[in-house]
Amino acid sequence: MMRITETVKHLIIINIILWVATLVLAERGVDLNAMLALHFPENDSFGFWQPITSMFMHSVMSPIHILFNMIGLWMFGSALETRWGKIKFLSFYMITGVGAGLVHTLVNYIEFYSLVQQVAELNLSPEQLKQIINADILTGNQYLGKTLANKLPTILDTAQLNAINDLNFSALFDMNIFNQTKAVGASGALYGVMVAFGMLYPNMELMMMFIPIPIKAKYFIPGLLAYDLISGISGRAGLFGGGNIAHFAHLGGALFGFLLMWYWNKTQFNKNRWDR
């Protein structure tokens, strides 16, 4: 069994503390995610620090989210820290985590502005668009189209309201959800760590809890990435049945992990002095 290393242990402790704090503060009416989760840049609550802080936040609605991320961080991260030392490992972890958030945001931007084209006929002003996508239509854990419909008469003029049809209303609704949905979790950084592990230990046999068959890392990790790519394109849920999975954040972390490994190997950057 892999011994947990010092930096990995501290990262796990920080994640657990913030998860508990989010749970406790929520019971007191304080939403820590409003400040620290990664918001879409058009959201009124977006902050430049969120690509970093969101890496340490996890959904309190799904304890399995933080559980599997922390198990993965311990398993794969400890192996990398043992090989690289704390500074190099932490640098890699933070870069891949931030990179995951940037890719996630970029993909959302592309999808968001494809929806903007679908409502071009409404001739929305920037202020009207901002009001629509920032309108609070969340009731419990569900976004309600009828709530958005009730708010539109206070935002749009008569001509715009008359131009509303099922297609452009659906686009407005989806734009609101894009803008309101927050991203949290260490999964992006973890995927970067897994890619590095697979490149360093390709023949190491891994085994998932629900697939009791050992699979070499060079097959297991690309297979997991292929699953995320297919799920991201098709909009499927995650491995454990949860919805709202940031598949492209996972892929972004993996991409940044691969590029970092490629750069270090190409420039022999890994042979430079690191503070262990």
Side-chain angles (χ1 to χ4, degrees):
M1 181 177 293
M2 173 62 66
R3 178 186 66 85
I4 189 170
T5 52
E6 200 67 17
T7 303
V8 168
K9 179 175 69 176
H10 291 154
L11 287 171
I12 291 175
I13 290 172
I14 292 170
N15 277 274
I16 292 174
I17 288 174
L18 285 173
W19 187 82
V20 173
T22 303
L23 186 63
V24 171
L25 291 174
E27 295 176 352
R28 291 163 171 75
V30 178
D31 184 8
L32 199 58
N33 279 315
M35 184 192 317
L36 302 181
L38 177 58
H39 294 72
F40 191 66
E42 301 295 336
N43 191 288
D44 291 337
S45 297
F46 174 77
F48 66 88
W49 58 86
Q50 291 170 358
I52 297 175
T53 57
S54 61
M55 295 167 53
F56 301 95
M57 304 294 291
H58 288 82
S59 170
V60 296
M61 304 300 293
S62 177
I64 201 171
H65 183 210
I66 187 171
L67 175 63
F68 277 89
N69 276 351
M70 295 305 99
I71 290 175
L73 178 55
W74 159 57
M75 289 175 56
F76 301 106
S78 292
L80 296 187
E81 186 180 356
T82 298
R83 179 161 178 159
W84 287 344
K86 61 182 179 181
I87 298 300
K88 184 174 181 180
F89 169 72
L90 184 60
S91 299
F92 183 90
Y93 183 84
M94 296 300 296
I95 291 171
T96 54
V98 171
L102 294 178
V103 171
H104 170 76
T105 300
L106 175 62
V107 171
N108 278 354
Y109 248 118
I110 293 171
E111 295 190 47
F112 180 86
Y113 281 101
S114 70
L115 293 171
V116 170
Q117 301 306 313
Q118 296 179 35
V119 299
E121 63 193 281
L122 298 178
N123 296 314
L124 300 173
S125 69
E127 181 58 32
Q128 286 176 317
L129 182 60
K130 183 177 180 179
Q131 290 183 54
I132 291 171
I133 64 176
N134 282 287
D136 183 9
I137 64 171
L138 186 63
T139 302
N141 293 318
Q142 187 174 12
Y143 293 94
L144 297 180
K146 64 180 181 181
T147 304
L148 179 61
N150 291 335
K151 291 178 180 289
L152 289 181
T154 64
I155 301 173
L156 305 180
D157 60 34
T158 302
Q160 290 170 324
L161 286 172
N162 290 335
I164 291 286
N165 55 42
D166 289 343
L167 289 178
N168 53 35
F169 178 81
S170 178
L172 291 174
F173 181 66
D174 288 342
M175 288 163 65
N176 180 283
I177 295 176
F178 264 115
N179 191 54
Q180 301 286 350
T181 302
K182 301 179 285 288
V184 294
S187 301
L190 176 58
Y191 268 65
V193 166
M194 287 194 297
V195 165
F197 182 92
M199 294 175 72
L200 293 172
Y201 307 103
N203 293 313
M204 181 72 72
E205 291 187 336
L206 306 173
M207 187 160 26
M208 299 185 72
M209 293 181 182
F210 46 86
I211 304 179
I213 302 173
I215 305 172
K216 290 184 178 181
K218 62 184 178 183
Y219 303 127
F220 175 83
I221 294 171
L224 192 60
L225 294 177
Y227 175 86
D228 265 291
L229 179 60
I230 294 170
S231 297
I233 294 173
S234 65
R236 291 177 57 191
L239 285 171
F240 306 104
N244 195 27
I245 305 298
H247 294 289
F248 286 103
H250 297 173
L251 295 169
L255 173 63
F256 270 75
F258 173 80
L259 292 176
L260 262 181
M261 291 293 290
W262 173 81
Y263 175 73
W264 286 351
N265 290 334
K266 183 174 184 293
T267 62
Q268 295 187 324
F269 193 60
N270 55 321
K271 295 184 178 180
N272 291 350
R273 179 179 298 175
W274 291 87
D275 176 12
R276 299 180 69 87

